[in-house]
Amino acid sequence: DIMPSLVGSEMCIRDRADEQVIRQSLSQTMASLPIDTITPTPVKGIYQITSQGQVAYVTADGNYLFAGNLLDLKNQVNLTEQVKNKARLALLETVPATHKVIYAPEGEKKATLTILTDPTCPYCEKLHREIPALQKAGIEVQTILTPRAGAGSPGFVESSQIMCGKQRAADMDTAMAGKPLTGAACQDAMINDNMQLAEKLGMSGTPYIILPDGSAVPGYRPAAALIAVLSGKASPAQLQ
């Protein structure tokens, strides 16, 4: 049937035309806003904009913009969070292993958990003490140092020291136990990269846990609760 293909082509042409209108309008009204993508949503006349990990919505004429969650009520799905989850996973794919401190699972790997953390954050220290239980459950824990107080802070210096050493996991354990590190702080550039990554991931504070589906859990959660979700025995919603 030729009709569906014609309709589809017309929609694509209209979407491209709308995108040009939106870009032109926003370049005049919000010139400082970097636009990564503009894509149609299931809502007629509403387009989704992504900008450095953030999601917003705009009308086809580019005159009205709003932020918030777009909910598919029929299917009970948060479409905005789905987009953010995919974006987080794509960002994490770009992070080299050399920027992480990785704790291997015991036995077969069943899941991977990413934690943005800070050696001077009490709840990060509390979560760090849960890592052995996660490893025992077959979960690989990938930690990325993102000191919340930024450059020049004690957490930034310690993070740079940890990533500078040859025994990163041991140094991380030492710092998380509140003990001083003696090595050089030679990885400031890496920690700065991590901080930029944290902003794009939407980190609101530390610890910041990212589940295998890309959904984010801000703050401390006990290992038992994380294991229940990662093993499929509980819903990720129960962590929120």
Side-chain angles (χ1 to χ4, degrees), residues 2-17:
I2 197 168
M3 285 303 293
S5 61
L6 283 173
V7 172
S9 297
E10 287 175 8
M11 288 177 66
C12 286
I13 291 167
R14 186 172 66 246
D15 289 342
R16 283 198 293 269

PDB file of all heavy atoms in Angstrom, residues 2-17:
ATOM      1  N   ILE A   2       0.653   2.131  -0.969  1.00  0.00           N
ATOM      2  CA  ILE A   2       1.516   3.293  -1.123  1.00  0.00           C
ATOM      3  C   ILE A   2       1.134   4.436  -0.179  1.00  0.00           C
ATOM      4  O   ILE A   2       1.950   5.289   0.144  1.00  0.00           O
ATOM      5  CB  ILE A   2       1.479   3.789  -2.589  1.00  0.00           C
ATOM      6  CG1 ILE A   2       2.672   4.712  -2.861  1.00  0.00           C
ATOM      7  CG2 ILE A   2       0.160   4.507  -2.902  1.00  0.00           C
ATOM      8  CD1 ILE A   2       2.866   5.012  -4.327  1.00  0.00           C
ATOM      9  N   MET A   3      -0.111   4.425   0.323  1.00  0.00           N
ATOM     10  CA  MET A   3      -0.580   5.537   1.151  1.00  0.00           C
ATOM     11  C   MET A   3       0.215   5.723   2.447  1.00  0.00           C
ATOM     12  O   MET A   3       0.627   6.840   2.768  1.00  0.00           O
ATOM     13  CB  MET A   3      -2.070   5.360   1.466  1.00  0.00           C
ATOM     14  CG  MET A   3      -2.971   5.679   0.284  1.00  0.00           C
ATOM     15  SD  MET A   3      -2.720   7.364  -0.328  1.00  0.00           S
ATOM     16  CE  MET A   3      -3.339   8.298   1.068  1.00  0.00           C
ATOM     17  N   PRO A   4       0.459   4.653   3.256  1.00  0.00           N
ATOM     18  CA  PRO A   4       1.225   4.848   4.483  1.00  0.00           C
ATOM     19  C   PRO A   4       2.601   5.457   4.241  1.00  0.00           C
ATOM     20  O   PRO A   4       3.065   6.304   5.005  1.00  0.00           O
ATOM     21  CB  PRO A   4       1.333   3.431   5.060  1.00  0.00           C
ATOM     22  CG  PRO A   4       0.157   2.705   4.502  1.00  0.00           C
ATOM     23  CD  PRO A   4      -0.013   3.260   3.124  1.00  0.00           C
ATOM     24  N   SER A   5       3.272   5.034   3.146  1.00  0.00           N
ATOM     25  CA  SER A   5       4.607   5.570   2.878  1.00  0.00           C
ATOM     26  C   SER A   5       4.533   7.048   2.511  1.00  0.00           C
ATOM     27  O   SER A   5       5.397   7.840   2.864  1.00  0.00           O
ATOM     28  CB  SER A   5       5.290   4.771   1.760  1.00  0.00           C
ATOM     29  OG  SER A   5       4.553   4.847   0.562  1.00  0.00           O
ATOM     30  N   LEU A   6       3.465   7.436   1.779  1.00  0.00           N
ATOM     31  CA  LEU A   6       3.296   8.851   1.427  1.00  0.00           C
ATOM     32  C   LEU A   6       3.029   9.686   2.671  1.00  0.00           C
ATOM     33  O   LEU A   6       3.588  10.764   2.842  1.00  0.00           O
ATOM     34  CB  LEU A   6       2.133   9.013   0.440  1.00  0.00           C
ATOM     35  CG  LEU A   6       2.404   8.638  -1.018  1.00  0.00           C
ATOM     36  CD1 LEU A   6       1.119   8.692  -1.821  1.00  0.00           C
ATOM     37  CD2 LEU A   6       3.446   9.576  -1.622  1.00  0.00           C
ATOM     38  N   VAL A   7       2.165   9.174   3.550  1.00  0.00           N
ATOM     39  CA  VAL A   7       1.856   9.881   4.799  1.00  0.00           C
ATOM     40  C   VAL A   7       3.119  10.030   5.638  1.00  0.00           C
ATOM     41  O   VAL A   7       3.403  11.089   6.198  1.00  0.00           O
ATOM     42  CB  VAL A   7       0.751   9.155   5.585  1.00  0.00           C
ATOM     43  CG1 VAL A   7       0.586   9.776   6.968  1.00  0.00           C
ATOM     44  CG2 VAL A   7      -0.569   9.196   4.821  1.00  0.00           C
ATOM     45  N   GLY A   8       3.902   8.933   5.727  1.00  0.00           N
ATOM     46  CA  GLY A   8       5.137   8.966   6.496  1.00  0.00           C
ATOM     47  C   GLY A   8       6.117   9.990   5.951  1.00  0.00           C
ATOM     48  O   GLY A   8       6.759  10.717   6.712  1.00  0.00           O
ATOM     49  N   SER A   9       6.206  10.045   4.613  1.00  0.00           N
ATOM     50  CA  SER A   9       7.113  11.012   3.986  1.00  0.00           C
ATOM     51  C   SER A   9       6.680  12.440   4.284  1.00  0.00           C
ATOM     52  O   SER A   9       7.501  13.309   4.570  1.00  0.00           O
ATOM     53  CB  SER A   9       7.156  10.786   2.471  1.00  0.00           C
ATOM     54  OG  SER A   9       7.671   9.506   2.171  1.00  0.00           O
ATOM     55  N   GLU A  10       5.373  12.677   4.218  1.00  0.00           N
ATOM     56  CA  GLU A  10       4.851  14.014   4.500  1.00  0.00           C
ATOM     57  C   GLU A  10       5.146  14.422   5.941  1.00  0.00           C
ATOM     58  O   GLU A  10       5.492  15.569   6.219  1.00  0.00           O
ATOM     59  CB  GLU A  10       3.345  14.052   4.241  1.00  0.00           C
ATOM     60  CG  GLU A  10       2.972  14.026   2.763  1.00  0.00           C
ATOM     61  CD  GLU A  10       1.472  13.935   2.539  1.00  0.00           C
ATOM     62  OE1 GLU A  10       0.733  14.039   3.543  1.00  0.00           O
ATOM     63  OE2 GLU A  10       1.054  13.763   1.385  1.00  0.00           O
ATOM     64  N   MET A  11       5.014  13.469   6.863  1.00  0.00           N
ATOM     65  CA  MET A  11       5.290  13.757   8.272  1.00  0.00           C
ATOM     66  C   MET A  11       6.758  14.102   8.477  1.00  0.00           C
ATOM     67  O   MET A  11       7.090  15.030   9.222  1.00  0.00           O
ATOM     68  CB  MET A  11       4.888  12.560   9.149  1.00  0.00           C
ATOM     69  CG  MET A  11       3.377  12.379   9.275  1.00  0.00           C
ATOM     70  SD  MET A  11       2.940  10.904  10.232  1.00  0.00           S
ATOM     71  CE  MET A  11       3.548  11.359  11.865  1.00  0.00           C
ATOM     72  N   CYS A  12       7.647  13.360   7.819  1.00  0.00           N
ATOM     73  CA  CYS A  12       9.088  13.617   7.941  1.00  0.00           C
ATOM     74  C   CYS A  12       9.430  15.012   7.414  1.00  0.00           C
ATOM     75  O   CYS A  12      10.213  15.740   8.018  1.00  0.00           O
ATOM     76  CB  CYS A  12       9.892  12.573   7.169  1.00  0.00           C
ATOM     77  SG  CYS A  12       9.943  10.967   7.978  1.00  0.00           S
ATOM     78  N   ILE A  13       8.826  15.368   6.282  1.00  0.00           N
ATOM     79  CA  ILE A  13       9.064  16.693   5.695  1.00  0.00           C
ATOM     80  C   ILE A  13       8.571  17.788   6.640  1.00  0.00           C
ATOM     81  O   ILE A  13       9.262  18.780   6.876  1.00  0.00           O
ATOM     82  CB  ILE A  13       8.371  16.802   4.316  1.00  0.00           C
ATOM     83  CG1 ILE A  13       9.069  15.880   3.300  1.00  0.00           C
ATOM     84  CG2 ILE A  13       8.398  18.249   3.812  1.00  0.00           C
ATOM     85  CD1 ILE A  13       8.300  15.681   2.012  1.00  0.00           C
ATOM     86  N   ARG A  14       7.380  17.577   7.220  1.00  0.00           N
ATOM     87  CA  ARG A  14       6.830  18.564   8.147  1.00  0.00           C
ATOM     88  C   ARG A  14       7.692  18.678   9.401  1.00  0.00           C
ATOM     89  O   ARG A  14       7.937  19.778   9.899  1.00  0.00           O
ATOM     90  CB  ARG A  14       5.394  18.189   8.517  1.00  0.00           C
ATOM     91  CG  ARG A  14       4.707  19.273   9.370  1.00  0.00           C
ATOM     92  CD  ARG A  14       3.237  19.012   9.595  1.00  0.00           C
ATOM     93  NE  ARG A  14       3.014  17.822  10.400  1.00  0.00           N
ATOM     94  CZ  ARG A  14       2.426  16.711   9.957  1.00  0.00           C
ATOM     95  NH1 ARG A  14       2.020  16.624   8.701  1.00  0.00           N
ATOM     96  NH2 ARG A  14       2.229  15.680  10.758  1.00  0.00           N
ATOM     97  N   ASP A  15       8.162  17.534   9.916  1.00  0.00           N
ATOM     98  CA  ASP A  15       9.014  17.552  11.105  1.00  0.00           C
ATOM     99  C   ASP A  15      10.296  18.329  10.851  1.00  0.00           C
ATOM    100  O   ASP A  15      10.753  19.103  11.699  1.00  0.00           O
ATOM    101  CB  ASP A  15       9.351  16.122  11.554  1.00  0.00           C
ATOM    102  CG  ASP A  15       8.155  15.393  12.147  1.00  0.00           C
ATOM    103  OD1 ASP A  15       7.180  16.082  12.525  1.00  0.00           O
ATOM    104  OD2 ASP A  15       8.182  14.156  12.206  1.00  0.00           O
ATOM    105  N   ARG A  16      10.902  18.108   9.675  1.00  0.00           N
ATOM    106  CA  ARG A  16      12.144  18.813   9.343  1.00  0.00           C
ATOM    107  C   ARG A  16      11.888  20.316   9.220  1.00  0.00           C
ATOM    108  O   ARG A  16      12.688  21.136   9.656  1.00  0.00           O
ATOM    109  CB  ARG A  16      12.752  18.254   8.062  1.00  0.00           C
ATOM    110  CG  ARG A  16      13.471  16.931   8.252  1.00  0.00           C
ATOM    111  CD  ARG A  16      14.413  16.648   7.093  1.00  0.00           C
ATOM    112  NE  ARG A  16      13.684  16.419   5.848  1.00  0.00           N
ATOM    113  CZ  ARG A  16      13.274  15.220   5.433  1.00  0.00           C
ATOM    114  NH1 ARG A  16      13.500  14.152   6.184  1.00  0.00           N
ATOM    115  NH2 ARG A  16      12.624  15.083   4.290  1.00  0.00           N
ATOM    116  N   ALA A  17      10.734  20.667   8.616  1.00  0.00           N
ATOM    117  CA  ALA A  17      10.373  22.083   8.475  1.00  0.00           C
ATOM    118  C   ALA A  17      10.161  22.711   9.849  1.00  0.00           C
ATOM    119  O   ALA A  17      10.632  23.823  10.123  1.00  0.00           O
ATOM    120  CB  ALA A  17       9.126  22.220   7.617  1.00  0.00           C
TER     121      ALA A  17
END
